[in-house]
Amino acid sequence: MSEVEPDFDVLEYVTIAKDARSGLVVALGGTEQAAALLQRASFLDHPGPRGTYHRLPHGLPAAEQRRKATAASHALLSAGYSVHLDPALNALAVPDAGREAALRYLAELAQQGTRASSGEERAALLTEIAAPAEGLLPLIRQAIAVACLWSLQPGASGANLEPAAQLGSAADALSRAADQILRVRNDVARMPAQPGQAVRTDSPAQRPVAAVSRNR
């Protein structure tokens, strides 16, 4: 049985994103009606190598770019177009949402630590902190290692290499700390439960779903 492709009009799909090279906010796709909606939202039509496209004027502040791009996307959505708006241009997005989620996660871990009374619970907490793949310390070490690479500018020498050396030392210290915590975790997990000790089944702290995007 052959599969039937969906019937849709690619031209009705509009993408609004910031061009990395020029810094301009550009809208691609859509029909003549979409072009009219974009022009009402301050987008200018401009001839390109693959036909006319729309962009916001030069020199707009970043906040104004987000406001106009968001307004244009909502106008297009209301008219029935499918729109992809670059999340960085969404003026309605909650600022620092990922950081706030990460702070809540750390606060929950701290509370979980004060409630832990069995070896199993304490071992689970230490695993969250130092697990090799997704533990907090290894992930922080990875971020510092990336910062270390950034600090190694081409042609750097002498005193200019000192920040990279300090970051590298900090990353190594975190790696050693994670290894030490894992050894303690293993010892704690083997500790027998005290007689009459009730083992709680607290749910682990929920990791932030959209905290800072990480490439592993």
Side-chain angles (χ1 to χ4, degrees):
M1 179 178 179
S2 61
E3 296 183 356
V4 178
E5 291 295 324
D7 183 17
F8 62 93
D9 190 346
V10 176
L11 292 177
E12 293 187 358
Y13 191 91
V14 182
T15 298
I16 302 177
K18 180 176 286 190
D19 178 61
R21 182 177 58 84
S22 65
L24 291 173
V25 175
V26 177
L28 301 173
T31 61
E32 291 184 1
Q33 181 189 10
L37 292 172
L38 287 167
Q39 289 167 14
R40 292 175 193 166
S42 302
F43 279 74
L44 307 174
D45 60 327
H46 195 78
R50 298 183 181 179
T52 301
Y53 68 93
H54 290 79
R55 63 168 176 80
L56 287 175
H58 289 276
L60 287 180
E64 189 70 4
Q65 287 182 335
R66 290 194 296 270
R67 188 183 69 80
K68 292 183 180 297
T70 302
S73 69
H74 280 269
L76 290 165
L77 287 169
S78 298
Y81 290 91
S82 296
V83 182
H84 168 72
L85 176 65
D86 186 338
L89 294 173
N90 188 352
L92 301 180
V94 179
D96 293 331
R99 182 175 183 274
E100 292 173 4
L103 291 175
R104 287 195 301 271
Y105 168 63
L106 291 174
E108 290 174 10
L109 271 185
Q111 293 176 5
Q112 186 176 327
T114 61
R115 296 191 302 264
S117 59
S118 68
E120 182 180 355
E121 292 170 348
R122 291 165 183 155
L125 176 64
L126 295 177
T127 301
E128 284 287 317
I129 295 172
E134 296 191 0
L136 294 176
L137 289 184
L139 289 173
I140 294 173
R141 179 195 176 280
Q142 180 181 345
I144 293 177
V146 172
C148 181
L149 293 176
W150 291 342
S151 64
L152 290 173
Q153 299 297 332
S157 61
N160 292 331
L161 293 176
E162 183 62 22
Q166 293 177 352
L167 289 171
S169 178
D172 290 340
L174 283 173
S175 181
R176 291 193 299 271
D179 290 341
Q180 184 177 4
I181 291 173
L182 286 178
R183 288 195 294 271
V184 174
R185 186 274 313 268
N186 293 339
D187 293 339
V188 168
R190 288 192 289 266
M191 292 176 59
Q194 297 298 321
Q197 183 182 56
V199 178
R200 290 190 299 268
T201 57
D202 293 346
S203 59
Q206 184 175 0
R207 284 181 172 268
V209 176
V212 181
S213 177
R214 298 186 294 255
N215 293 321
R216 299 185 187 139

